[in-house]
Amino acid sequence: MAEQNEYVPPKVWTWDAESGGRFANINRPIAGPTHDKELPKGKHPIQLYSLGTPNGVKVTIMLEELLAAGYSDAEYDAWLINIGEGDQFSSGYVELNPNSKIPVMLDTTTGTRVFESASILLYLANKFGAFVPEEHGAKTEAMNWLFWQMGSAPYLGGGFGHFYAYAPFKMEYPINRFAMEVKRQMDVLNRHLAENKFMAGDEYSIADMAIWPWYGAMAKGVLYDAKEFLSVHEYEHVIRWADEVGARPAVKRGRMVNRTFGEPSSQLHERHDASDFDTKTQDKLQG
């Protein structure tokens, strides 16, 4: 390992706002709002405030899958929360999610706020009775993998993704440590999907919706530009599953919502009607 200057922690830690990193301008060691601003509300029963990151995509996939399955009460307004500009620290947002992370959802039919992506998926699954297996064993398996994702993704995003892609300079030890863990996680999935069509067996569920935006994207080489570094071609069963889930029309639509990067035709910054996919993607608005 290359020699590095050793960091000696002080007796009492203090926040250095100039410590660097891609998201240094929005990071802070306290909670609460930074400014007063009410959240907008649309006409649909469900109001979603989000961004097209993996955690946000989980929920828009679920909503589009519900609509595709005929659950018209799952109609939703998806409002863009620009985390780079600190939208998540507005008073209106913090009222719905005191943790100031995306996504957050408001069910206007009950006045219920729901934050944390897995909680939103479970809320919608329970509300509509969809995308969770009815049989107890299969349902438990879906829950196993849903909570596996919630516990594992911080290593993939906050760990590997941060040090490999976002830290102000490359550091060998944390990159090696988190690359090892991400490859172990990918192997866990690859072994499971060698014997199962979907995460909970033969039935597509919220477990697939939760895992696909993170690990499906990694398997397809579109996350952190780390395809070669992590040798993702080794995970052939994850790639097979990622292709199958990614081919679903509702998944294709869901990954476009609140997306602010990539090809303009793949970006639907806000979604307020099903027709927006045909008329309000960025290529249409810019054209």
Side-chain angles (χ1 to χ4, degrees):
M1 181 179 293
E3 184 177 346
Q4 298 177 352
N5 294 327
E6 183 177 0
Y7 170 65
V8 179
K11 290 184 178 180
V12 178
W13 181 86
T14 57
W15 173 236
D16 177 8
E18 305 299 323
S19 59
R22 180 170 171 180
F23 301 107
N25 65 314
I26 60 170
N27 290 331
R28 60 196 185 116
I30 59 172
T34 61
H35 59 284
D36 289 328
K37 184 178 181 181
E38 293 300 312
L39 291 175
K41 290 186 174 64
K43 63 183 179 180
H44 295 305
I46 292 171
Q47 301 295 302
L48 180 69
Y49 305 93
S50 190
L51 183 67
T53 65
N55 286 333
V57 167
K58 298 175 193 177
V59 177
T60 49
I61 287 175
M62 175 62 161
L63 289 165
E64 291 296 329
E65 290 282 14
L66 287 167
L67 291 170
Y71 296 97
S72 59
D73 287 345
E75 266 295 352
Y76 69 104
D77 291 278
W79 302 93
L80 180 65
I81 298 297
N82 190 326
I83 62 174
E85 296 181 2
D87 291 350
Q88 70 276 30
F89 298 118
S90 74
S91 56
Y93 196 92
V94 173
E95 183 179 355
L96 292 186
N97 186 355
N99 196 39
S100 292
K101 301 293 184 181
I102 63 97
V104 69
M105 187 183 79
L106 176 66
D107 184 345
T108 63
T109 63
T110 62
T112 304
R113 71 173 186 182
V114 197
F115 59 90
E116 291 296 322
S117 56
S119 182
I120 298 174
L121 293 178
L122 280 171
Y123 180 90
L124 292 170
N126 291 330
K127 181 180 177 73
F128 295 102
F131 298 112
V132 170
E134 293 185 5
E135 192 274 322
H136 183 67
K139 180 177 182 179
T140 301
E141 186 70 357
M143 295 302 101
N144 289 341
W145 287 107
L146 175 64
F147 289 104
W148 175 87
Q149 186 277 318
M150 294 298 288
S152 297
Y155 288 96
L156 175 55
F160 176 76
H162 176 79
F163 287 104
Y164 185 78
Y166 303 139
F169 56 91
K170 304 298 184 187
M171 291 171 276
E172 185 177 2
Y173 177 79
I175 290 175
N176 283 345
R177 172 66 180 84
F178 286 112
M180 178 274 294
E181 179 61 16
V182 170
K183 288 187 68 67
R184 188 193 68 80
Q185 292 175 1
M186 293 291 286
D187 193 45
V188 168
L189 286 177
N190 202 57
R191 291 168 186 264
H192 178 71
L193 289 167
E195 300 178 354
N196 295 274
K197 182 178 181 181
F198 297 113
M199 295 310 304
D202 292 331
E203 187 174 344
Y204 177 67
S205 73
I206 59 174
D208 300 283
M209 299 178 203
I211 294 170
W212 183 84
W214 281 107
Y215 294 89
M218 180 60 76
K220 297 300 293 181
V222 298
L223 199 61
Y224 307 127
D225 194 25
K227 180 178 182 178
E228 182 178 6
F229 182 73
L230 293 176
S231 302
V232 296
H233 66 276
E234 297 172 351
Y235 309 110
E236 57 181 310
H237 304 295
V238 182
I239 293 171
R240 183 273 307 163
W241 164 83
D243 286 340
E244 185 164 354
V245 173
R248 297 176 67 91
V251 172
K252 292 180 179 180
R253 290 192 298 274
R255 70 186 300 266
M256 294 171 63
V257 178
N258 298 143
R259 185 181 177 94
T260 60
F261 55 91
E263 292 296 321
S265 60
S266 73
Q267 299 181 37
L268 183 62
H269 286 189
E270 291 191 354
R271 187 264 192 216
H272 303 289
D273 190 87
S275 64
D276 291 348
F277 291 101
D278 297 320
T279 62
K280 294 185 178 180
T281 52
Q282 283 304 105
D283 60 321
K284 304 290 196 316
L285 297 179
Q286 292 171 359

